[in-house]
Amino acid sequence: MRRLTVITALLLAVGLLVSISAQTHFSARSDLVVLNVAVTNDKGGFVSGLPADAFHVREEGQPQRVSFFAEQDAPATIGLLIDASGSMLENRDRVIAGITEFAKASHPDDEFLPLVFNEHVTAVLPSHQRFTSDPAELRDALTGNLSARGRTAFHDALAHAVDAIGQGHHERKGLIVLSDGGDNQSRLTFNEALERVLASNVVIYAIALVDPLALDHNPKALRRLADGTGGLAFEPDKVAQIGQVFQSIGRDIRSRYTLAYAPAQSKAGQLRRIRVTVEAPGRSSLKVRTRTGYVTSVPTQTTNADEVAR
């Protein structure tokens, strides 16, 4: 009898631990829409401590029941998509320094996927690994592979990066794009690449490094990507400002709420519009940033990491 009591107690303890784990950790199911939401006040400061019932989610105008809510500095999978064509050579050292300091200040469990592109996408880490959490390893990999050359297939690179980030280990996913937004080589159009982005849960942070002599730069495309995913777009006047830009991105990534809901069934390939609002007593002029929509069940051709040009 005593042995049975001990076993029962152990089973209850395991059940309690599983229950606690289920409440504090979240793994998104394929049938959930996951939203990473930033809330700021009228001065641009992040607003923390809001309860779940302060958030209201509508899809195509219809209210949705939030089935998961959390506010935590959770680790993230962060892609770095860097244009290695045009004028990158003169900005190279500043960009690498900014990325290195950004990685040092990030969550210790963040993982980074560095990619550089011209007409091809190149994964700069060794072939046996896809991600790194080591700022020094990230710096060394970029130093050895970031040089200006070739044409620009930005749309293709964007679609590839989103697919590759999807293979990361963390639910929170972001992509930092350093480019002028121009494209003169891709097979995909911008709208096709945007559709791939909206079918994912990736928040895009765009840093427009514009060469005034380049004829095909398109910073508006970068801003459209950031706005559509709830990220931020920057167009620094000077390369020396890149470090400050990365600091702003780091704060934004680490200051978000995570919400999820189960949407109604809809046809594959549809763009579903999302709107999130916040109502909190005693707080006014709150601004919300999250993705503005998603595309349902878009077929993708996921690129294996071994197929990336090196």
Side-chain angles (χ1 to χ4, degrees), residues 4-310:
L4 181 59
T5 301
V6 171
I7 292 174
T8 302
L10 287 173
L11 288 174
L12 288 172
V14 169
L16 178 61
L17 288 173
V18 170
S19 176
I20 293 172
S21 176
Q23 294 177 34
T24 56
H25 297 282
F26 171 58
S27 179
R29 306 196 312 266
S30 60
D31 59 340
L32 291 180
V33 175
V34 181
L35 303 174
N36 293 307
V37 182
V39 181
T40 56
N41 57 30
D42 55 358
K43 296 181 180 179
F46 292 100
V47 177
S48 60
L50 295 173
D53 58 11
F55 291 81
H56 304 279
V57 180
R58 289 181 176 271
E59 180 182 306
E60 295 296 331
Q62 298 301 311
Q64 305 295 315
R65 187 180 70 84
V66 175
S67 56
F68 177 85
F69 173 85
E71 180 193 5
Q72 55 185 342
D73 180 14
T77 297
I78 302 172
L80 297 158
L81 184 62
I82 307 171
D83 191 341
S85 63
S87 60
M88 178 54 67
L89 188 60
E90 64 180 281
N91 301 328
R92 175 179 177 274
D93 291 341
R94 291 277 191 180
V95 167
I96 293 174
I99 290 173
T100 303
E101 293 305 311
F102 165 76
K104 289 179 179 179
S106 296
H107 190 290
D109 294 326
D110 282 352
E111 59 181 4
F112 299 95
L113 173 68
L115 302 167
V116 299
F117 73 96
N118 44 30
E119 63 264 39
H120 305 291
V121 185
T122 302
V124 300
L125 289 172
S127 58
H128 63 274
Q129 70 181 100
R130 298 175 182 174
F131 303 92
T132 183
S133 296
D134 184 349
E137 184 175 41
L138 179 62
R139 178 199 62 214
D140 293 345
L142 289 172
T143 300
N145 290 275
L146 187 56
S147 57
R149 62 193 185 280
R151 296 174 66 80
T152 307
F154 173 50
H155 306 156
D156 291 351
L158 182 64
H160 170 86
V162 168
D163 288 347
I165 292 170
Q167 300 172 23
H169 299 90
H170 303 308
E171 177 55 38
R172 188 170 293 191
K173 302 182 189 300
L175 175 62
I176 302 174
V177 177
L178 292 97
S179 172
D180 64 2
D183 191 300
N184 53 31
Q185 191 69 24
S186 286
R187 292 170 295 176
L188 295 176
T189 66
F190 175 79
N191 285 336
E192 288 170 336
L194 178 61
E195 186 174 83
R196 296 278 283 272
V197 170
L198 293 178
S200 74
N201 187 33
V202 175
V203 179
I204 291 185
Y205 299 91
I207 306 175
L209 300 177
V210 177
D211 180 357
L213 299 180
L215 299 178
D216 56 358
H217 61 269
N218 189 3
K220 289 183 178 179
L222 297 176
R223 182 166 296 278
R224 187 176 171 190
L225 289 166
D227 290 345
T229 60
L232 293 168
F234 302 87
E235 191 172 344
D237 295 328
K238 301 177 182 177
V239 179
Q241 297 173 334
I242 287 179
Q244 297 175 357
V245 168
F246 273 107
Q247 290 178 15
S248 297
I249 293 173
R251 285 192 297 270
D252 195 83
I253 291 174
R254 302 184 70 171
S255 304
R256 288 190 170 236
Y257 298 85
T258 301
L259 287 68
Y261 68 92
Q265 291 186 350
S266 57
K267 294 181 180 180
Q270 281 192 338
L271 175 61
R272 307 289 293 177
R273 299 290 183 182
I274 299 171
R275 185 167 184 258
V276 178
T277 56
V278 172
E279 295 179 4
R283 296 175 182 261
S284 59
S285 303
L286 296 183
K287 297 181 180 180
V288 177
R289 276 190 292 104
T290 190
R291 55 174 164 159
T292 57
Y294 70 96
V295 176
T296 57
S297 303
V298 175
T300 59
Q301 298 179 347
T302 302
T303 306
N304 189 288
D306 296 334
E307 296 174 352
V308 180
R310 288 185 169 85

